[in-house]
Amino acid sequence: AQSVTQLDSQVPVFEEAPVELRCNYSSSVSVYLFWYVQYPNQGLQLLLKYLSGSTLVKGINGFEAEFNKSQTSFHLRKPSVHISDTAEYFCAVRVLESGYNKLIFGAGTRLAVHP
Amino acid sequence: NAGVTQTPKFQVLKTGQSMTLQCAQDMNHEYMSWYRQDPGMGLRLIHYSVGAGITDQGEVPNGYNVSRSTTEDFPLRLLSAAPSQTSVYFCASSYSARMNTEAFFGQGTRLTVV
């Protein structure tokens, strides 16, 4: 079965510091990967996605992620975080079952940016 | 830009009560789904629909029913609420069930069963 593992449940960081949120997936077939962000009391918003092509993917709000097939990872990075980046981040993989796409989510990583 | 609309935003139920969580999208999306979000478990798929009249079970379907009579609406029914169904519920939609298109999420319904 496909699965997504987010290695850190919480990541505290100071403002303007770099951050990396880790995500590993298990899949034996073609992989389509996503990062979503959830701000407090809101729904999920797409941050970035990898479908094919360049392994370095740039998203909104200065985030980027790198797809590493050999390490089955899709880590999310930002070189300098802001207080407004405080949110929960979800890594997800899209799998094809019975001819239809389904999104499988990781448990989430809560990013807390401190002044 | 309404997107995906969920109602209600908050709900408190007593054990054994029934209710329906509403979800509507105005983007003519083929694929709609319901997830529940619990601390430390991410989002888990409850039910999904690949078009009007077609629904199927996800990872955690027990205790929930769905129907899809129109393209726009995908209600989730709790037949007899239990405390284990206390959660935040998200509805999502995407243009196609077969192509890799972006999923759009509603704002969520926070349900407490006492």
Coordinates of all heavy atoms in Angstrom, one line a residue, chain A residues 32 34 36 38 41-46 49 51 88 90 94 96-108, chain B residues 31 35 37 40-43 45 48 50 54 57-58 90 94 96-103 105-108 110:
Chain A
Y32 N 3.3 11.1 -8.0 CA 2.9 12.5 -8.1 C 2.7 13.0 -6.7 O 2.0 12.4 -5.9 CB 1.5 12.6 -8.9 CG 1.6 11.9 -10.2 CD1 1.0 10.6 -10.4 CD2 2.2 12.5 -11.3 CE1 1.1 10.0 -11.6 CE2 2.3 11.8 -12.5 CZ 1.7 10.6 -12.7 OH 1.8 10.0 -13.9
F34 N 2.7 16.2 -3.6 CA 2.1 17.5 -3.3 C 2.5 17.9 -1.9 O 2.7 17.0 -1.0 CB 0.6 17.4 -3.4 CG 0.1 16.9 -4.7 CD1 0.0 15.6 -5.0 CD2 -0.4 17.8 -5.7 CE1 -0.5 15.1 -6.2 CE2 -0.9 17.3 -6.9 CZ -0.9 16.0 -7.2
Y36 N 0.7 20.6 0.8 CA -0.4 21.5 1.1 C -0.1 22.2 2.4 O 0.5 21.6 3.3 CB -1.7 20.7 1.3 CG -2.4 20.2 0.0 CD1 -2.0 19.1 -0.6 CD2 -3.4 21.0 -0.6 CE1 -2.6 18.7 -1.8 CE2 -4.0 20.6 -1.8 CZ -3.6 19.5 -2.4 OH -4.2 19.1 -3.5
Q38 N -2.0 24.3 5.7 CA -3.3 24.6 6.4 C -3.0 25.7 7.5 O -2.3 25.4 8.5 CB -3.8 23.4 7.0 CG -5.2 23.6 7.7 CD -5.7 22.3 8.4 OE1 -5.0 21.5 8.8 NE2 -7.0 22.2 8.5
N41 N -7.5 27.2 11.5 CA -9.0 27.2 11.2 C -9.3 27.5 9.7 O -10.4 28.0 9.4 CB -9.6 28.4 12.1 CG -9.4 28.1 13.5 OD1 -9.6 27.0 14.0 ND2 -8.9 29.1 14.3
Q42 N -8.5 27.0 8.9 CA -8.8 27.1 7.5 C -8.7 25.7 6.8 O -8.2 24.8 7.4 CB -7.8 28.1 6.8 CG -8.1 29.5 7.3 CD -7.3 30.5 6.4 OE1 -7.0 30.3 5.2 NE2 -7.0 31.7 7.0
G43 N -9.1 25.7 5.5 CA -8.9 24.5 4.7 C -7.5 24.3 4.2 O -6.6 25.1 4.6
L44 N -7.3 23.3 3.4 CA -5.9 23.1 2.8 C -5.8 23.9 1.5 O -6.7 23.9 0.7 CB -5.7 21.6 2.6 CG -5.3 20.8 3.8 CD1 -6.4 20.6 4.7 CD2 -4.8 19.4 3.3
Q45 N -4.6 24.4 1.3 CA -4.2 25.1 0.1 C -3.0 24.5 -0.5 O -2.0 24.2 0.2 CB -3.9 26.6 0.5 CG -3.5 27.5 -0.6 CD -3.2 28.9 -0.1 OE1 -3.3 29.2 1.1 NE2 -2.8 29.8 -1.0
L46 N -3.0 24.3 -1.8 CA -1.9 23.7 -2.5 C -0.7 24.7 -2.5 O -0.8 25.8 -2.9 CB -2.3 23.4 -3.9 CG -1.2 22.7 -4.8 CD1 -0.9 21.3 -4.2 CD2 -1.6 22.7 -6.2
K49 N 3.6 21.2 -6.3 CA 3.3 19.8 -6.8 C 4.4 19.4 -7.7 O 5.1 20.2 -8.4 CB 2.0 19.7 -7.5 CG 1.9 20.5 -8.7 CD 0.5 20.5 -9.3 CE 0.3 21.5 -10.5 NZ -1.1 21.6 -11.0
L51 N 4.8 16.6 -10.7 CA 4.1 15.6 -11.6 C 5.2 14.9 -12.5 O 5.1 13.7 -12.7 CB 3.1 16.3 -12.4 CG 1.9 17.0 -11.7 CD1 0.9 17.6 -12.6 CD2 1.3 16.0 -10.7
E88 N 0.2 24.3 9.5 CA 0.5 22.9 9.4 C 0.7 22.5 8.0 O -0.1 23.0 7.1 CB -0.6 22.1 10.0 CG -0.3 20.6 10.1 CD -1.0 19.9 11.3 OE1 -2.0 20.4 11.7 OE2 -0.5 18.8 11.7
F90 N 1.2 19.5 5.0 CA 0.9 18.1 4.7 C 1.5 17.7 3.4 O 1.4 18.4 2.4 CB -0.6 17.9 4.6 CG -1.3 18.0 5.9 CD1 -1.9 19.3 6.3 CD2 -1.4 17.0 6.8 CE1 -2.6 19.4 7.5 CE2 -2.1 17.1 8.0 CZ -2.7 18.3 8.3
R94 N -0.3 11.2 -4.8 CA -1.5 10.8 -5.6 C -1.2 9.4 -6.1 O -0.2 9.1 -6.8 CB -1.8 11.7 -6.7 CG -2.9 11.3 -7.6 CD -3.6 12.5 -8.3 NE -4.6 13.1 -7.4 CZ -5.1 14.3 -7.6 NH1 -4.6 15.1 -8.6 NH2 -6.0 14.8 -6.8
L96 N -3.0 5.8 -8.1 CA -4.0 5.4 -9.1 C -4.5 4.0 -8.6 O -3.8 3.1 -8.6 CB -3.4 5.3 -10.5 CG -4.4 5.2 -11.6 CD1 -5.3 6.5 -11.7 CD2 -3.6 5.0 -12.9
E97 N -5.8 4.0 -8.2 CA -6.4 2.7 -7.8 C -7.7 2.5 -8.5 O -8.5 3.4 -8.5 CB -6.6 2.7 -6.3 CG -5.4 2.6 -5.4 CD -5.7 2.6 -3.9 OE1 -6.9 2.4 -3.6 OE2 -4.7 2.6 -3.1
S98 N -7.9 1.4 -9.1 CA -9.1 1.0 -9.9 C -9.4 2.1 -10.9 O -10.5 2.4 -11.2 CB -10.3 0.9 -8.9 OG -10.1 0.0 -7.9
G99 N -8.3 2.7 -11.5 CA -8.5 3.6 -12.6 C -8.7 5.0 -12.1 O -8.8 5.9 -12.9
Y100 N -8.8 5.3 -10.8 CA -9.1 6.6 -10.3 C -8.0 7.1 -9.4 O -7.3 6.3 -8.7 CB -10.4 6.6 -9.5 CG -11.6 6.2 -10.4 CD1 -12.3 5.0 -10.1 CD2 -12.0 7.0 -11.5 CE1 -13.3 4.6 -10.9 CE2 -13.0 6.6 -12.3 CZ -13.7 5.4 -12.0 OH -14.8 5.0 -12.8
N101 N -7.8 8.4 -9.4 CA -6.7 9.0 -8.5 C -7.2 9.2 -7.1 O -8.4 9.6 -6.9 CB -6.3 10.4 -9.1 CG -5.5 10.2 -10.3 OD1 -4.4 9.6 -10.3 ND2 -5.9 10.8 -11.4
K102 N -6.4 8.9 -6.1 CA -6.7 9.2 -4.7 C -5.5 9.9 -4.1 O -4.3 9.6 -4.5 CB -6.9 7.9 -4.0 CG -8.2 7.2 -4.4 CD -8.3 5.9 -3.6 CE -9.5 5.1 -4.1 NZ -9.6 3.8 -3.3
L103 N -5.7 10.8 -3.2 CA -4.7 11.5 -2.5 C -4.5 10.8 -1.1 O -5.4 10.7 -0.3 CB -5.0 12.9 -2.2 CG -4.6 14.0 -3.2 CD1 -5.1 15.4 -2.8 CD2 -3.1 14.0 -3.4
I104 N -3.2 10.4 -0.9 CA -2.9 9.8 0.4 C -2.0 10.9 1.2 O -1.0 11.3 0.6 CB -2.0 8.5 0.3 CG1 -2.8 7.6 -0.7 CG2 -1.8 7.9 1.6 CD1 -4.1 7.1 -0.1
F105 N -2.4 11.2 2.4 CA -1.7 12.3 3.1 C -0.8 11.7 4.2 O -1.1 10.7 4.8 CB -2.8 13.2 3.8 CG -3.4 14.1 2.9 CD1 -4.6 13.7 2.2 CD2 -3.0 15.4 2.6 CE1 -5.2 14.6 1.3 CE2 -3.6 16.3 1.8 CZ -4.7 15.9 1.1
G106 N 0.2 12.5 4.5 CA 1.0 12.2 5.7 C 0.3 12.8 6.9 O -0.7 13.4 6.8
A107 N 0.9 12.6 8.1 CA 0.3 13.0 9.4 C 0.4 14.5 9.6 O -0.3 15.0 10.5 CB 0.9 12.2 10.5
G108 N 1.2 15.2 8.8 CA 1.3 16.6 9.0 C 2.5 17.0 9.9 O 3.0 16.3 10.7
Chain B
Y31 N -14.7 15.0 -9.7 CA -14.3 14.2 -8.6 C -14.5 14.9 -7.3 O -14.1 16.1 -7.2 CB -12.8 13.8 -8.7 CG -12.2 12.9 -7.7 CD1 -12.3 11.5 -7.8 CD2 -11.6 13.4 -6.6 CE1 -11.7 10.7 -6.8 CE2 -11.0 12.6 -5.6 CZ -11.1 11.2 -5.8 OH -10.6 10.4 -4.8
Y35 N -12.8 13.8 3.6 CA -11.7 13.4 4.5 C -12.1 13.8 5.9 O -12.8 14.7 6.2 CB -10.4 14.1 4.1 CG -9.8 13.8 2.8 CD1 -10.2 14.4 1.6 CD2 -8.8 12.8 2.7 CE1 -9.6 14.0 0.4 CE2 -8.2 12.4 1.5 CZ -8.6 13.1 0.4 OH -8.0 12.7 -0.8
Q37 N -9.9 14.7 9.5 CA -8.6 15.1 10.0 C -8.6 15.0 11.5 O -9.4 15.6 12.2 CB -8.3 16.6 9.6 CG -6.9 17.0 10.1 CD -6.6 18.5 9.8 OE1 -7.5 19.3 9.6 NE2 -5.4 18.8 9.7
G40 N -2.3 14.1 14.5 CA -1.3 13.1 14.3 C -1.6 12.0 13.3 O -0.8 11.1 13.1
M41 N -2.7 12.2 12.6 CA -3.1 11.2 11.6 C -3.3 11.8 10.2 O -3.6 11.0 9.3 CB -4.4 10.4 12.0 CG -4.2 9.8 13.4 SD -5.6 8.8 13.9 CE -5.2 7.3 12.9
G42 N -3.1 13.0 10.1 CA -3.3 13.6 8.8 C -4.7 13.6 8.3 O -5.6 13.6 9.1
L43 N -4.9 13.5 7.0 CA -6.3 13.4 6.5 C -6.5 12.0 6.0 O -5.7 11.5 5.2 CB -6.5 14.4 5.3 CG -6.8 15.8 5.7 CD1 -5.5 16.6 6.2 CD2 -7.4 16.6 4.5
L45 N -9.2 9.4 3.9 CA -10.3 9.4 3.0 C -11.4 8.6 3.5 O -11.3 7.4 3.8 CB -9.8 8.9 1.6 CG -10.8 8.9 0.5 CD1 -11.2 10.3 0.1 CD2 -10.1 8.2 -0.7
Y48 N -15.5 8.7 -1.7 CA -15.3 9.6 -2.8 C -16.3 9.3 -3.9 O -16.9 8.3 -3.9 CB -13.8 9.5 -3.3 CG -13.5 8.1 -3.9 CD1 -13.5 7.9 -5.3 CD2 -13.1 7.1 -3.1 CE1 -13.2 6.6 -5.8 CE2 -12.7 5.8 -3.6 CZ -12.8 5.6 -5.0 OH -12.5 4.4 -5.5
V50 N -16.6 9.7 -8.3 CA -16.0 10.1 -9.6 C -17.0 10.7 -10.6 O -16.6 10.9 -11.8 CB -15.2 8.9 -10.2 CG1 -14.2 8.4 -9.3 CG2 -16.2 7.8 -10.5
I54 N -22.1 7.9 -8.9 CA -21.0 7.0 -8.6 C -20.3 7.4 -7.4 O -19.7 8.5 -7.3 CB -20.0 7.0 -9.8 CG1 -20.7 6.7 -11.1 CG2 -19.0 5.9 -9.6 CD1 -19.8 6.9 -12.3
Q57 N -16.0 3.7 -1.4 CA -15.5 3.8 -0.1 C -14.0 4.2 -0.1 O -13.3 3.7 -1.0 CB -15.7 2.5 0.7 CG -17.1 2.2 0.9 CD -17.3 0.9 1.7 OE1 -16.3 0.2 2.0 NE2 -18.5 0.6 2.1
G58 N -13.6 4.9 0.9 CA -12.2 5.2 1.0 C -11.6 4.4 2.2 O -12.0 3.2 2.3
F90 N -13.3 17.5 6.0 CA -13.0 18.3 4.8 C -13.6 17.7 3.5 O -13.4 16.5 3.3 CB -11.5 18.5 4.6 CG -10.9 19.5 5.6 CD1 -10.2 19.0 6.7 CD2 -11.0 20.8 5.4 CE1 -9.7 19.9 7.6 CE2 -10.4 21.7 6.3 CZ -9.8 21.2 7.4
S94 N -11.9 17.9 -7.5 CA -10.9 18.2 -8.5 C -11.5 17.9 -9.9 O -12.5 17.2 -10.0 CB -9.6 17.3 -8.3 OG -9.9 16.0 -8.3
S96 N -10.8 16.2 -12.5 CA -10.9 14.9 -13.1 C -10.4 13.8 -12.1 O -9.6 14.0 -11.3 CB -10.0 14.8 -14.4 OG -9.8 13.4 -14.8
A97 N -11.1 12.7 -12.2 CA -10.7 11.5 -11.3 C -9.6 10.8 -11.9 O -8.9 10.0 -11.2 CB -11.9 10.6 -11.1
R98 N -9.3 10.9 -13.2 CA -8.3 10.1 -13.8 C -7.0 10.9 -14.2 O -6.0 10.3 -14.3 CB -8.9 9.5 -15.1 CG -10.0 8.6 -14.9 CD -10.6 8.0 -16.2 NE -11.7 7.2 -16.0 CZ -11.7 5.9 -15.7 NH1 -10.5 5.3 -15.5 NH2 -12.8 5.2 -15.5
M99 N -7.1 12.2 -14.3 CA -6.0 13.0 -14.6 C -5.4 13.6 -13.3 O -6.1 13.8 -12.3 CB -6.3 14.1 -15.6 CG -6.8 13.6 -16.9 SD -7.6 14.9 -17.9 CE -6.4 16.2 -17.9
N100 N -4.2 14.0 -13.3 CA -3.6 14.7 -12.2 C -3.9 16.1 -12.1 O -3.1 17.0 -12.6 CB -2.1 14.4 -12.2 CG -1.7 13.0 -11.8 OD1 -2.1 12.6 -10.7 ND2 -1.0 12.3 -12.6
T101 N -5.1 16.4 -11.6 CA -5.5 17.8 -11.4 C -5.5 18.2 -10.0 O -5.7 17.4 -9.1 CB -6.8 18.1 -12.1 OG1 -7.8 17.1 -11.6 CG2 -6.7 17.8 -13.6
E102 N -5.4 19.5 -9.7 CA -5.3 20.0 -8.3 C -6.6 19.7 -7.6 O -7.7 19.8 -8.1 CB -5.0 21.5 -8.4 CG -5.0 22.1 -7.0 CD -4.7 23.6 -7.1 OE1 -4.4 24.1 -8.2 OE2 -4.9 24.3 -6.1
A103 N -6.5 19.4 -6.3 CA -7.6 19.2 -5.4 C -7.9 20.5 -4.7 O -6.9 21.1 -4.2 CB -7.4 18.1 -4.4
F105 N -10.0 22.3 -1.6 CA -10.6 21.9 -0.3 C -11.6 23.0 0.2 O -11.4 24.2 0.0 CB -9.5 21.7 0.8 CG -8.8 20.4 0.6 CD1 -7.8 20.3 -0.4 CD2 -9.1 19.3 1.3 CE1 -7.1 19.1 -0.6 CE2 -8.5 18.1 1.1 CZ -7.5 18.0 0.2
G106 N -12.6 22.5 0.9 CA -13.5 23.5 1.6 C -12.8 23.9 2.9 O -11.7 23.5 3.3
Q107 N -13.5 24.7 3.7 CA -13.0 25.3 4.9 C -13.1 24.3 6.1 O -12.5 24.6 7.1 CB -13.7 26.6 5.3 CG -13.5 27.7 4.2 CD -12.1 28.2 4.2 OE1 -11.6 28.8 5.2 NE2 -11.3 27.9 3.1
G108 N -13.8 23.3 5.9 CA -13.9 22.3 7.0 C -15.1 22.4 7.9 O -15.7 23.5 8.0
R110 N -16.1 21.4 11.8 CA -15.6 20.8 13.1 C -16.8 20.2 13.8 O -17.7 20.9 14.2 CB -15.0 21.9 13.9 CG -14.3 21.4 15.2 CD -13.5 22.6 15.9 NE -12.4 23.1 15.1 CZ -11.2 22.6 15.0 NH1 -10.9 21.5 15.8 NH2 -10.3 23.1 14.3

